[in-house]
């Protein structure tokens, strides 16, 4: 260890300071200012802020500057970088230099290349909105997220963040929906501020910061397990007993090799303009977390994708295996992606920040109430957005938020809302008095309120909301799109009521208090300040009527709840047809990943577990036979043990055959029936198989272990 430490110190010294490299591979404001004529620079800035449509006339100028900048930073290729509905990122690389008809080198990349590209769309899922013969789609530059260079050993690629759409305009990517949702919430928030008489404000932006949890394992050991290789999680393996503490002490600090990895990741991401504040997550062994500095929603989602990409790329260099799966290990904490979010005006003011100023506070409460009301009406959309196969094993456990969506406001805000609500019952009190109830004295320190409820899926954390249900492997844009849509819908309702009152001559702040009251009462059922892990909450939630999909497929179906479809169409985020296609894609993804798991489990049992049991049986039986005839007491216990091993083997043979048959049977059903079958038949059967395999694992000699066990996987010390 000491030798490694000094190696680390040397490494740190020889690497450049973060602030010197920060953003060096991003075609950001600074790079543009240096390389663009003033007029073009101003135009592009306005387009990047979303204030103006990009004029194709300046595209050539920008493309030229971007190309020069990219080549001088070592890039040889360019690509439109987009997020297909599969949740991964995709890119098609094109060289900057190609040969012309005479074989001479020709530098390409002009304005039209920058603005639009035409990857073959046929291999990306469309959920049936498009048949393969009309598989034409194009990607179009999204100037609101800056271009960047991904380095490769021999050069690099200029990546141009893009949307990806079919020729009939149907989105084939996640970003288009995300951008529609930011537009929906931002325009409404701006209108709301104007209703309150704030005329100076020019625009509002949704802000997002996603905390990324992950596991790191030793690569060689992880490689020996096909479940980790193909499914990203263990399908068998028994957790070490809870009191096995020896190694835990070591994990009080970040192991040196993990630290080296994290520093590499941070450095590479700093070059790409992603600012990570790292910290060790103590929840599980080998589990860690990165939290970025929050930014504008679209950029934050791109940056999270980029973070995951860079993390994946660098892990093998440190001989580590990175896991983003939501539940890689049974009995251990799973991994989430906590999505923090708020709204911010063009002056950088956070609209969810409480204030000691009475007027500002009412405005804050109006934005907060709008969101809570949106959730109470459309909680199904939020649940749908986190209903993925990975989350199937995480949500509802005792370490993650439950699948029932509720909102936690924290004691202070809850009290204020309750006060506003109850005052409403004595109608004759003048409005001013109603909120004098301690309200104007609301302390500034509320923003630093450390009052936390880790059991709630959606919590107000002082000056932002935090959605804790999204899974670690998910593309953040799906839950973010859902959150912002729900908020936009809540704002819409809030403003309808507010405008009515203002038009009747009420003063905006007074009117807002009444609307807060009205909508808070309506959304009472979704607010819960208690411990969401408790079983009584399930009963209580059932009574309140807020329990929606009980399984993941049912959760996915919440995407197409009639009222959600109407809402999404009203705020122009999803057309009905688009959502129906998206819904199908999510179902298919659920089915596919479970099918892979069925295959892999069967293979692991036959390749690993069954032969191991036979080897152990040989060992036991031969030594047992040697001793037969000698007077050893309780020999029958040993023979019973041998019988137990043999019975386990027979059981596993039978059950895996059942699994294969089941897979066959289900593959004939349509995707929805198939998904239901997975929940009702496959999952319980796989659990049965696992239980048996795990119960045998502990009786196998070290030589006869079928795969590296949990204890060995959790050793990172070498
Ligand atoms: P916590 O105590 O919940 O861990 P932190 O202050 O560490 O809170 O922030 C967690 C994440 O929330 C960080 O990624 C941070 O950038 C993000 N965040 C903070 N404020 C905002 C905001 N106004 N909008 C969006 N994200 C935010
Ligand atoms: Mg947090």
């Amino acid at each position: 260890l000491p030798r490694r430490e000094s190696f680390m110190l040397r490494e740190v010294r020889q690497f450049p300071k973060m602030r010197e490299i920060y953003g060096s591979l991003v075609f950001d404001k600074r790079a543009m200012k240096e390389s663009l004529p003033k007029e073009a620079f101003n135009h592009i800035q306005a387009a990047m802020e979303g204030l103006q449509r990009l004029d194709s006339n300046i595209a050539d100028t920008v493309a030229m500057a971007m190309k020069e900048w990219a080549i001088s930073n070592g890039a040889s290729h360019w690509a439109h970088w987009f997020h297909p509905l599969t949740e991964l990122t995709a890119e098609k690389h094109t060289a900057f230099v190609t040969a012309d008809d005479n074989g001479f080198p020709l530098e390409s990349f002009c304005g039209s290349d920058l603005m639009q590209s035409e990857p073959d769309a046929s291999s990306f899922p469309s959920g049936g909105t498009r048949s393969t013969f009309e598989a034409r789609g194009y990607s179009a530059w999204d100037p609101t997220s800056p271009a960047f260079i991904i380095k490769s050993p021999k050069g690099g690629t200029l990546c141009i963040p893009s949307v990806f759409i079919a020729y009939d305009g149907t989105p084939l990517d996640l970003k288009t929906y995300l951008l529609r949702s930011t537009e929906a919430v931002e325009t409404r928030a701006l209108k709301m501020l104007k209703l309150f008489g704030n005329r100076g404000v020019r625009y509002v932006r949704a802000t997002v910061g996603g905390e990324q949890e992950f596991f790191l394992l030793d690569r060689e050991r992880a490689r020996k397990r096909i479940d980790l290789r193909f499914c990203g999680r263990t399908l068998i393996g028994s957790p070490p007993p809870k009191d096995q503490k020896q190694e835990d002490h070591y994990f009080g600090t970040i192991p040196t090799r993990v630290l080296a990895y994290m520093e590499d990741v941070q450095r590479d991401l700093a070059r790409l303009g992603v600012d990570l504040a790292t910290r060790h997550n103590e929840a599980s062994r080998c589990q860690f977390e990165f939290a970025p500095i929050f930014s504008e929603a679209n950029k934050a989602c791109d940056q999270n994708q980029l973070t995951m990409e860079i993390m994946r790329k660098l892990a093998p260099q440190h001989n580590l295996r990175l896991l983003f799966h939501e539940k890689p290990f049974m009995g251990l904490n799973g991994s989430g992606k906590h999505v923090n979010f708020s709204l911010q005006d063009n002056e950088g003011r956070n609209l969810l920040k409480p204030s000691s100023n009475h007027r500002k506070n009412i405005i804050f409460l109006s934005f907060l109430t709008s969101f809570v009301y949106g959730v109470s009406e459309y909680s199904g959309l939020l649940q749908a957005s986190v209903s993925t196969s990975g989350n199937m094993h995480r949500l509802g456990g005792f370490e993650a938020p439950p699948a029932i969506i509720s909102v936690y406001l924290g004691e202070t805000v809850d009290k204020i809302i309750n006060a506003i609500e109850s005052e409403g019952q004595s109608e004759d009190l003048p409005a001013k008095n109603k909120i004098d109830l301690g309200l104007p004295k609301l302390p500034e320190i509320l923003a630093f309120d450390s009052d936390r409820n880790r059991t709630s899926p959606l919590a107000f954390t002082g000056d932002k909301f935090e959605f804790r249900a999204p899974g670690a492997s998910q593309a953040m844009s799906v839950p973010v799109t859902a959150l912002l849509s729900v908020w936009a819908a809540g704002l819409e309702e809030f403003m309808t009521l507010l405008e009515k009152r203002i038009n009747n001559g009420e003063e905006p702040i007074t009117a807002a208090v009444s609307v807060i009251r009205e909508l808070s009462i309506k959304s009472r059922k979704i607010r819960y300040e208690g411990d969401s892990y408790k079983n009584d909450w399930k009963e209580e939630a059932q009574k309140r009527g807020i329990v929606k999909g009980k399984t993941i497929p049912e959760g996915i179906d919440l995407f197409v709840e009639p009222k959600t479809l109407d809402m999404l169409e009203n705020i122009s985020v999803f057309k009905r047809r688009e959502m129906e296609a998206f819904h199908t894609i999510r179902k298919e993804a659920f089915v596919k990943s479970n099918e892979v798991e069925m295959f892999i489990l069967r293979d692991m049992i036959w390749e690993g577990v069954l032969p191991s049991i036979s080897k152990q049986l040989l060992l036991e039986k031969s030594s047992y036979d040697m001793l037969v005839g000698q007077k050893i007491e309780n020999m029958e216990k040993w023979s019973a043990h041998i019988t137990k091993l043999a019975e386990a083997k027979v059981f596993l043979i039978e059950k895996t055959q059942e699994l294969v048959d089941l897979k066959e049977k289900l593959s004939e059903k349509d995707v929805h029936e198939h998904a239901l079958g997975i929940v009702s038949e496959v999952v319980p059967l796989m659990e049965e198989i696992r239980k048996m395999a795990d119960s045998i694992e502990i009786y196998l000699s070290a030589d006869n272990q079928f795969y590296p066990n949990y204890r060995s996987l959790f050793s990172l010390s070498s």
Side-chain angles (χ1 to χ4, degrees):
L1 243 161
R3 247 186 49 226
R4 272 180 175 274
E5 296 281 32
S6 61
F7 162 74
M8 285 285 309
L9 285 177
R10 249 199 341 270
E11 229 192 12
V12 168
R13 241 179 281 130
Q14 92 194 17
F15 278 108
K17 292 203 181 66
M18 285 289 190
R19 82 176 108 83
E20 285 164 15
I21 57 170
Y22 185 77
S24 61
L25 293 177
V26 187
F27 193 62
D28 56 9
K29 214 170 181 167
R30 194 178 48 183
M32 286 187 200
K33 197 152 198 168
E34 279 169 14
S35 59
L36 283 173
K38 197 163 177 222
E39 201 187 332
F41 174 76
N42 289 340
H43 182 91
I44 193 87
Q45 279 309 309
M48 284 180 81
E49 286 182 3
L51 298 177
Q52 180 176 331
R53 221 171 251 282
L54 193 72
D55 182 349
S56 54
N57 289 330
I58 73 142
D60 276 328
T61 318
V62 178
M64 177 79 87
M66 211 187 258
K67 183 183 72 183
E68 289 307 320
W69 170 83
I71 291 175
S72 71
N73 278 291
S76 56
H77 288 67
W78 60 273
H80 277 215
W81 186 76
F82 54 93
H83 313 296
L85 299 166
T86 50
E87 298 216 352
L88 296 169
T89 53
E91 55 210 60
K92 183 179 119 189
H93 295 186
T94 310
F96 279 121
V97 180
T98 48
D100 68 9
D101 294 343
N102 301 314
F104 292 116
L106 181 75
E107 277 200 355
S108 60
F109 192 67
C110 56
S112 56
D113 292 328
L114 167 65
M115 302 276 280
Q116 197 164 317
S117 176
E118 224 174 302
D120 177 16
S122 58
S123 51
F124 296 107
S126 66
T129 51
R130 184 177 47 96
S131 42
T132 341
F133 65 86
E134 46 179 11
R136 278 153 60 83
Y138 63 91
S139 55
W141 181 31
D142 160 27
T144 59
S145 184
F148 54 89
I149 295 172
I150 290 288
K151 286 281 197 189
S152 48
K154 298 276 163 71
T157 305
L158 169 69
C159 294
I160 302 160
S162 305
V163 294
F164 182 41
I165 33 201
Y167 260 82
D168 65 359
T170 311
L172 296 172
D173 72 341
L174 299 172
K175 192 193 264 267
T176 309
Y177 296 118
L178 171 69
L179 289 173
R180 287 180 184 170
S181 76
T182 58
E183 177 76 15
V185 76
E186 288 168 0
T187 49
R188 283 170 180 81
L190 180 64
K191 185 176 161 199
M192 177 100 132
L193 288 176
K194 301 241 167 185
L195 282 178
F196 280 115
N198 187 341
R199 284 181 223 301
V201 58
R202 287 191 297 135
Y203 57 83
V204 173
R205 291 283 172 266
T207 55
V208 168
E211 299 164 64
Q212 179 70 53
E213 291 181 335
F214 54 96
F215 277 85
L216 286 170
L217 304 176
D218 178 77
R219 187 160 176 245
E220 298 312 320
R221 263 168 257 173
R223 244 222 298 250
K224 297 204 176 99
R225 297 197 54 126
I226 52 171
D227 48 3
L228 287 178
R229 272 166 57 203
F230 293 97
C231 314
R233 76 174 184 111
T234 55
L235 299 176
I236 50 177
S238 61
K242 283 248 161 13
D243 52 7
Q244 198 171 341
K245 281 256 163 68
Q246 309 92 291
E247 268 193 316
D248 282 6
H249 295 296
Y250 183 70
F251 288 96
T253 56
I254 301 179
T256 314
R257 62 191 292 203
V258 172
L259 205 54
Y261 165 72
M262 284 182 154
E263 279 165 355
D264 265 3
V265 169
Q266 278 180 295
R267 203 175 297 110
D268 271 18
L269 283 169
R271 289 194 174 91
L272 293 166
V274 185
D275 213 340
L276 291 184
T278 175
R279 56 185 189 223
H280 180 215
N281 192 330
E282 302 119 68
S284 272
R285 279 175 265 194
C286 298
Q287 193 188 29
F288 309 91
E289 180 188 290
F290 271 133
I293 306 292
F294 72 91
S295 59
E296 185 276 313
N298 175 32
K299 197 168 143 191
C301 291
D302 278 357
Q303 291 197 337
N304 181 254
Q305 289 284 356
L306 210 46
T307 301
M308 292 169 79
E309 264 181 55
I310 297 291
M311 287 176 72
R312 276 195 201 99
K313 199 173 91 180
L314 293 182
Q317 293 177 16
H318 290 260
N319 223 354
L320 291 168
R321 174 68 162 95
L322 171 69
L323 301 176
F324 282 131
H325 196 283
E326 282 71 15
K327 192 73 178 173
F329 305 103
M330 196 177 74
L332 267 90
N333 239 63
S335 296
K337 175 142 44 199
H338 296 177
V339 176
N340 299 268
F341 61 99
S342 186
L343 288 166
Q344 184 176 291
D345 71 11
N346 57 297
E347 302 274 328
R349 273 184 297 253
N350 181 352
L351 302 185
L352 283 182
K353 192 175 160 68
S355 158
S356 50
N357 172 296
H358 175 63
R359 180 177 173 278
K360 284 187 186 156
N361 230 348
I362 296 304
I363 298 177
F364 149 67
L365 288 171
S366 301
F367 279 101
L368 179 115
T369 304
S370 301
F371 178 68
V372 178
Y373 175 73
V375 178
S376 83
E377 288 294 296
Y378 306 105
S379 63
L381 180 60
L382 296 183
Q383 190 178 334
S385 76
V386 297
S387 294
T388 62
S389 73
N391 253 345
M392 175 158 64
H393 309 280
R394 171 176 169 259
L395 295 184
F398 281 102
E399 96 273 348
I404 305 163
I405 301 284
S406 67
V407 183
Y408 169 85
L409 293 179
E411 208 188 325
T412 322
V413 177
D414 190 54
K415 251 192 206 144
I416 295 167
I417 296 283
N418 287 340
I420 294 180
E421 273 186 21
S422 55
E423 273 307 289
Q425 282 151 15
S426 41
E427 288 287 15
D428 43 312
L429 267 176
K432 259 259 170 311
N433 281 353
K434 285 176 195 167
I435 34 147
D436 266 353
L437 241 176
L439 245 182
K441 295 228 161 57
L442 204 140
E444 281 267 40
I445 47 150
L446 189 63
F448 308 104
D449 199 348
S450 63
D451 165 19
R452 288 291 154 94
N453 178 340
R454 302 259 166 220
T455 70
S456 177
L458 247 178
F460 182 67
T461 54
D463 61 354
K464 62 185 187 314
F465 274 102
E466 181 172 4
F467 189 25
R468 299 205 177 97
S473 74
Q474 279 195 266
M476 200 160 68
S477 42
V478 179
V480 171
T481 301
L483 290 164
L484 299 184
S485 298
V486 160
W487 205 347
L491 282 167
E492 184 72 33
E493 180 64 17
F494 194 100
M495 286 192 291
T496 306
L497 299 174
L498 185 63
E499 273 181 310
K500 214 180 273 167
R501 287 179 177 271
I502 293 175
N503 291 342
N504 284 341
E506 278 184 49
E507 189 268 328
I509 293 295
T510 320
V513 175
S514 303
V515 179
I516 292 171
R517 177 181 309 125
E518 210 172 313
L519 291 187
S520 292
I521 290 172
K522 278 192 182 166
S523 46
R524 226 183 244 155
K525 61 172 196 252
I526 210 77
R527 273 160 38 211
Y528 183 62
E529 298 293 306
D531 182 347
S532 312
Y533 291 171
K534 291 245 173 73
N535 270 333
D536 17 332
W537 169 230
K538 277 193 193 142
E539 277 169 40
E540 164 79 18
Q542 196 76 42
K543 269 190 226 139
R544 292 186 185 192
I546 59 167
V547 179
K548 299 233 160 168
K550 292 211 171 85
T551 63
I552 295 293
E554 282 174 27
I556 298 172
D557 287 341
L558 296 173
F559 272 127
V560 289
E561 264 188 305
K563 74 190 270 199
T564 298
L565 286 177
D566 288 343
M567 179 273 277
L568 289 169
E569 202 147 39
N570 279 340
I571 63 168
S572 305
V573 175
F574 276 92
K575 294 195 187 95
R576 183 171 296 264
R577 185 176 55 94
E578 292 169 348
M579 183 45 104
E580 280 162 0
F582 188 68
H583 168 240
T584 308
I585 290 172
R586 304 291 283 191
K587 258 306 167 52
E588 282 168 357
F590 173 80
V591 166
K592 269 185 205 141
S593 80
N594 278 284
E595 281 200 304
V596 173
E597 291 194 351
M598 289 164 84
F599 255 130
I600 297 294
L601 180 61
R602 189 237 160 247
D603 287 356
M604 286 180 93
I605 299 292
W606 282 82
E607 289 172 12
V609 180
L610 296 180
S612 286
I613 296 177
S614 291
K615 278 192 235 159
Q616 189 69 23
L617 276 171
L618 276 175
L619 181 75
E620 305 286 353
K621 190 73 174 72
S622 56
S623 48
Y624 178 88
D625 286 350
M626 246 165 50
L627 300 170
V628 171
Q630 303 199 20
K631 287 213 173 71
I632 299 173
E633 265 180 61
N634 296 332
M635 273 296 270
E636 71 282 1
K637 288 211 173 123
W638 191 351
S639 71
H641 173 66
I642 294 172
T643 310
K644 192 167 140 191
L645 287 178
E647 282 170 355
K649 177 149 182 158
V650 174
F651 179 91
L652 289 172
I653 291 171
E654 270 173 17
K655 291 291 172 183
T656 45
Q657 187 54 47
E658 240 178 78
L659 190 65
V660 173
D661 296 342
L662 188 55
K663 188 169 178 303
E664 192 82 357
K665 185 185 100 185
L666 289 177
S667 66
E668 281 155 22
K669 309 222 166 194
D670 77 22
V671 66
H672 300 290
E673 291 285 310
H674 197 157
L676 292 181
I678 285 172
V679 173
S680 61
E681 299 182 72
V682 176
V683 171
L685 181 57
M686 285 178 69
E687 264 166 24
E688 243 186 305
I689 294 173
R690 173 178 200 151
K691 211 166 163 194
M692 182 56 86
D694 290 359
S695 73
I696 292 306
E697 188 189 273
I698 51 173
Y699 297 119
L700 300 179
S701 73
D703 287 344
N704 288 341
Q705 289 286 327
F706 25 90
Y707 296 106
N709 61 18
Y710 273 26
R711 193 184 47 212
S712 137
L713 285 174
F714 292 141
S715 173
L716 263 179
S717 44
S718 57

